[in-house]
Amino acid sequence: MSQVRNVKIIGTGKYLPNKKVFAHELDELLGVKKGWVEQKSGVALRSFVGNETASQMAAHAASEAINEAGIHKEEIDCIVSVSGTMEQPIPCNAALVQKQLGLSESKIPCFDINSTCLSFVTGFDTISYLVHSGRYNNVLLVSSEIASVGLNWEAKENAILFGDGAAAAILTKTPENGNSKVLAGHMETFSDGAHYTEIRGGGTRLHPNNQNAVETDFLFDMNGKSIFKLSSRNIGDFVDTLLAFSDCTMDDINLVVPHQASGMAMRILRKKLGIAEAKFMNIIHNHGNTIASSIPMALHEAIVQNKVQRGSKIMLLGTSAGLSIGGIVFEY
Amino acid sequence: MSQVRNVKIIGTGKYLPNKKVFAHELDELLGVKKGWVEQKSGVALRSFVGNETASQMAAHAASEAINEAGIHKEEIDCIVSVSGTMEQPIPCNAALVQKQLGLSESKIPCFDINSTCLSFVTGFDTISYLVHSGRYNNVLLVSSEIASVGLNWEAKENAILFGDGAAAAILTKTPENGNSKVLAGHMETFSDGAHYTEIRGGGTRLHPNNQNAVETDFLFDMNGKSIFKLSSRNIGDFVDTLLAFSDCTMDDINLVVPHQASGMAMRILRKKLGIAEAKFMNIIHNHGNTIASSIPMALHEAIVQNKVQRGSKIMLLGTSAGLSIGGIVFEY
């Protein structure tokens, strides 16, 4: 069954916090030999928050996307936060973004969609059905992530991958004479890997006030080898399925925008799928892995750098905690 | 524009944890006079978790819903957690539910939708577009909430409202000869009230390891009076809008299933909207406010107690942190 939805991205934006962290600074901090951080992670430069909150970063990225879309912020009629982290456990992120955008009188509905690093892809895929049907006219999707507060610097190989930042996109229904469309979305979750990537503490199972909790329970933990095994076993078939649903071959795709997981993970993925370097968007060297912001940020850069044009076929593709693989193919 | 979606709820389920807590026990615990807890909250009996996790409760409720729907669990093709709390910050709840259901080999996509107490309503409203379009055949929506770990017993009036528990529903496309349908959904967010209901700490703004955080930062906090003012100013118009979108009057609605916020809040809401007691589902006395589980749990009870039949028009309606008001009208 065709999954086509007449949906168009009419604006994107990104925001990076002010504090810049170079790989060589982390080399020193971690007491490793010069060049180790960049070589291991592929990240030469990342940004970390100083005083910025996630909703402030979200508002910056959203404002750029709104401006790019050529609409007034009051024309947005749904705000969906698509982040893997929360600013506060309650309320949802999107309500805090509405407030930061100065839209607290607007009544715009606000809610969150979360599939960790794939949240933007899941949100785009899901909400496009509502845009196609006319339920909403201009939806703001915004990912805003502060990874830096939750990193365990004892687990160096994991901690050195991440950066903070936000990215946003505005979805609207494709005008009568337009060709923009979502061709297909697909997601698969393999919960044998549910605990391969986790923050164990901070939710209801191990509450922050739990006396038995230790500091590392509240920090990011990842078993890279197990993730690699489970995802490489499944990603080939996954991409074949997504392409079949899209009625495309990989040759039809003008640009793949992958989750910027790590330099090495992206290199392996690209080679496994046989994608030329020029068709594989890579911004990890100066952004790091910004969780769910990573894919829309790379998409924004692809647009800004003219790597895609209207009519280009784009595949967003990634893995996330869960373990999930997700992707969407659309004509920009 | 008509919002009608051909979607049918084919099964519901609920789960309450084993530990039963009577109002008089809380009277003693809190050192208040006998009868105060029940009189203030409307809750005579609630359930709190012992060793149960949220995903275990979710699996129990989901299994009942799957059984009621007469399908095999393998026929589910999307799992959406619609909870206001998380079991762990990473991964998303739905992946943990997939694992608990013994479906870790199924590849069923898993993600979360969160609008605090309205998460089930938002999830039902949003996902019904995907079911209507044929993207998914059988979607499991499940709310599972552990309020008890996050309560501040110094703020008695708030703490005494809550209970733990889970509720689930299976959505499918209405068969050719069926009449079940979603008539309309609507949501409004008023972020002037974003901090009226909150847990400030535990996210990226005030991380669990933050040395400046105090115990109460990680506990539920609510300014009941401000919420009451903001929501009563808007709920009348909200319901008028929802009914207009549904092409219904309140007389057409066979049952209103409100968020079980508190005995008093529900009494005021019912009178304000002029709804007869018999048409207003109330299960707070033996469940408490179970956050996002509250609405699907009350819906499940309405079905089990034969308060609704196929063909009944049902309105789900509630307020949540954000502050948001949300509702959906559907023909069961």
Side-chain angles (χ1 to χ4, degrees):
Chain A
M1 181 187 292
S2 165
Q3 286 189 20
V4 171
R5 289 144 262 167
N6 298 323
V7 170
K8 183 179 184 178
I9 294 180
I10 55 168
T12 59
K14 85 166 191 182
Y15 178 81
L16 292 178
N18 293 323
K19 190 170 140 198
K20 302 303 167 191
V21 181
F22 290 90
H24 67 82
E25 295 174 84
L26 290 181
D27 286 338
E28 261 177 64
L29 191 79
L30 296 171
V32 295
K33 71 170 196 286
K34 213 177 151 183
W36 184 85
V37 165
E38 184 171 348
Q39 189 257 319
K40 271 278 179 191
S41 65
V43 187
L45 172 66
R46 74 204 71 207
S47 309
F48 280 167
V49 292
N51 290 320
E52 297 102 329
T53 63
S55 56
Q56 284 166 353
M57 295 201 300
H60 285 299
S63 296
E64 185 180 354
I66 291 164
N67 195 43
E68 196 55 43
I71 61 171
H72 298 287
K73 63 183 180 182
E74 292 78 9
E75 293 177 78
I76 293 168
D77 52 2
C78 185
I79 299 175
V80 184
S81 164
V82 282
S83 303
T85 57
M86 294 198 76
E87 179 162 328
Q88 305 188 180
I90 294 177
C92 67
N93 290 322
L96 299 172
V97 174
Q98 193 209 58
K99 193 177 171 78
Q100 286 292 343
L101 281 170
L103 288 169
S104 61
E105 310 263 304
S106 65
K107 303 188 185 180
I108 298 169
C110 294
F111 58 92
D112 295 1
I113 293 180
N114 174 11
S115 57
T116 330
C117 293
L118 283 168
S119 301
F120 180 84
V121 175
T122 304
F124 181 13
D125 192 5
T126 303
I127 297 300
S128 62
Y129 285 92
L130 284 77
V131 173
H132 175 83
S133 81
R135 171 63 179 271
Y136 296 119
N137 294 311
N138 293 297
V139 177
L140 167 61
L141 292 182
V142 58
S143 302
S144 185
E145 305 281 25
I146 299 178
S148 57
V149 292
L151 299 175
N152 180 1
W153 292 101
E154 301 294 315
K156 297 185 189 67
E157 286 84 351
N158 293 338
I160 58 172
L161 303 176
F162 292 91
D164 301 336
I170 310 287
L171 305 185
T172 198
K173 190 160 184 176
T174 308
E176 285 297 332
N177 58 351
N179 290 316
S180 301
K181 59 179 87 66
V182 172
L183 296 173
H186 186 51
M187 184 184 192
E188 296 178 1
T189 300
F190 305 87
S191 61
D192 278 338
H195 296 285
Y196 291 171
T197 311
E198 62 180 345
I199 295 181
R200 278 178 297 280
T204 57
R205 193 160 70 84
L206 193 61
H207 190 273
N209 292 339
N210 189 312
Q211 296 302 317
N212 298 319
V214 296
E215 207 168 299
T216 50
D217 286 328
F218 304 111
L219 300 177
F220 181 76
D221 187 24
M222 179 165 77
N223 182 338
K225 276 188 189 142
S226 299
I227 294 165
F228 174 71
K229 264 200 221 168
L230 185 55
S231 62
S232 4
R233 202 160 61 231
N234 289 288
I235 197 142
D237 286 351
F238 176 89
V239 170
D240 289 344
T241 304
L242 175 60
L243 285 168
F245 285 164
S246 311
D247 205 13
C248 284
T249 65
M250 193 52 102
D251 285 343
D252 299 327
I253 304 294
N254 299 100
L255 190 72
V256 174
V257 180
H259 173 46
Q260 312 287 306
S262 78
M264 189 172 64
M266 290 166 69
R267 205 158 46 238
I268 293 170
L269 176 68
R270 189 177 68 72
K271 290 191 173 163
K272 192 177 178 73
L273 299 177
I275 303 165
E277 207 158 355
K279 282 176 58 171
F280 196 79
M281 191 66 198
N282 190 333
I283 63 165
I284 195 157
H285 62 288
N286 57 350
H287 294 78
N289 175 341
T290 58
I291 318 180
S293 300
S294 134
I295 288 177
M297 203 178 274
L299 173 64
H300 171 78
E301 283 299 315
I303 294 167
V304 167
Q305 296 174 25
N306 285 313
K307 298 206 173 200
V308 291
Q309 288 78 37
R310 291 292 169 191
S312 294
K313 285 199 175 74
I314 303 174
M315 177 188 285
L316 311 183
L317 177 67
T319 56
S320 75
L323 181 149
S324 294
I325 308 178
I328 190 166
V329 175
F330 66 104
E331 195 172 321
Y332 176 64
Chain B
M1 181 186 294
S2 164
Q3 285 190 19
V4 171
R5 289 144 262 167
N6 298 322
V7 170
K8 183 179 184 178
I9 294 180
I10 54 168
T12 60
K14 85 166 191 181
Y15 178 80
L16 293 178
N18 293 322
K19 191 171 142 196
K20 303 303 166 189
V21 181
F22 291 89
H24 67 82
E25 296 174 85
L26 290 181
D27 287 337
E28 262 177 63
L29 190 81
L30 296 171
V32 295
K33 72 168 193 287
K34 214 180 151 181
W36 183 85
V37 166
E38 185 171 348
Q39 189 256 319
K40 271 278 179 192
S41 64
V43 187
L45 173 66
R46 77 203 69 209
S47 309
F48 279 168
V49 292
N51 290 320
E52 296 102 331
T53 63
S55 56
Q56 284 167 352
M57 296 202 298
H60 284 299
S63 296
E64 186 181 355
I66 291 165
N67 195 43
E68 195 57 43
I71 61 171
H72 296 288
K73 63 185 180 182
E74 292 78 8
E75 293 176 77
I76 293 169
D77 52 2
C78 185
I79 299 175
V80 185
S81 166
V82 283
S83 304
T85 58
M86 294 198 77
E87 179 163 327
Q88 304 188 180
I90 293 177
C92 67
N93 290 322
L96 299 172
V97 174
Q98 193 209 57
K99 194 177 169 80
Q100 285 292 342
L101 281 170
L103 287 168
S104 62
E105 308 265 304
S106 66
K107 304 187 184 180
I108 298 169
C110 294
F111 59 91
D112 295 1
I113 293 181
N114 175 10
S115 58
T116 330
C117 292
L118 281 169
S119 302
F120 180 85
V121 175
T122 304
F124 181 12
D125 192 4
T126 303
I127 297 300
S128 62
Y129 285 92
L130 284 77
V131 173
H132 175 84
S133 81
R135 172 63 179 273
Y136 296 119
N137 294 311
N138 293 297
V139 179
L140 167 61
L141 293 182
V142 57
S143 302
S144 185
E145 305 280 26
I146 299 177
S148 56
V149 293
L151 299 175
N152 180 359
W153 292 101
E154 301 295 314
K156 295 186 191 68
E157 287 83 352
N158 293 339
I160 59 172
L161 302 176
F162 292 91
D164 301 336
I170 310 287
L171 305 185
T172 198
K173 190 159 186 180
T174 309
E176 285 297 332
N177 57 351
N179 290 317
S180 301
K181 59 179 88 65
V182 172
L183 296 171
H186 187 50
M187 185 183 190
E188 296 178 359
T189 299
F190 305 86
S191 61
D192 279 338
H195 296 286
Y196 291 171
T197 311
E198 63 180 345
I199 295 180
R200 279 179 295 281
T204 56
R205 193 160 70 86
L206 193 61
H207 189 271
N209 292 339
N210 189 311
Q211 297 300 319
N212 297 319
V214 296
E215 207 168 300
T216 50
D217 286 328
F218 304 111
L219 300 177
F220 182 76
D221 188 23
M222 178 165 77
N223 182 337
K225 276 186 190 142
S226 299
I227 295 166
F228 175 71
K229 265 201 219 164
L230 185 54
S231 61
S232 22
R233 198 159 67 232
N234 290 289
I235 197 142
D237 286 350
F238 176 89
V239 170
D240 289 346
T241 304
L242 176 59
L243 285 169
F245 286 164
S246 311
D247 204 14
C248 284
T249 66
M250 194 51 102
D251 285 343
D252 298 327
I253 304 293
N254 299 99
L255 189 73
V256 175
V257 180
H259 173 46
Q260 312 287 306
S262 78
M264 189 170 67
M266 291 166 69
R267 204 156 49 238
I268 293 170
L269 177 67
R270 189 176 67 72
K271 290 189 171 162
K272 191 176 178 76
L273 299 177
I275 303 166
E277 208 160 353
K279 281 175 57 170
F280 196 79
M281 193 66 198
N282 190 332
I283 64 163
I284 196 159
H285 62 288
N286 56 352
H287 294 78
N289 175 342
T290 57
I291 319 178
S293 299
S294 136
I295 287 178
M297 205 180 273
L299 174 63
H300 172 77
E301 284 298 315
I303 294 167
V304 167
Q305 297 173 25
N306 285 311
K307 297 205 173 198
V308 290
Q309 288 78 40
R310 290 292 168 193
S312 294
K313 284 197 175 78
I314 304 173
M315 177 188 284
L316 310 183
L317 178 67
T319 56
S320 75
L323 181 148
S324 294
I325 309 178
I328 189 166
V329 175
F330 66 104
E331 194 171 322
Y332 176 62

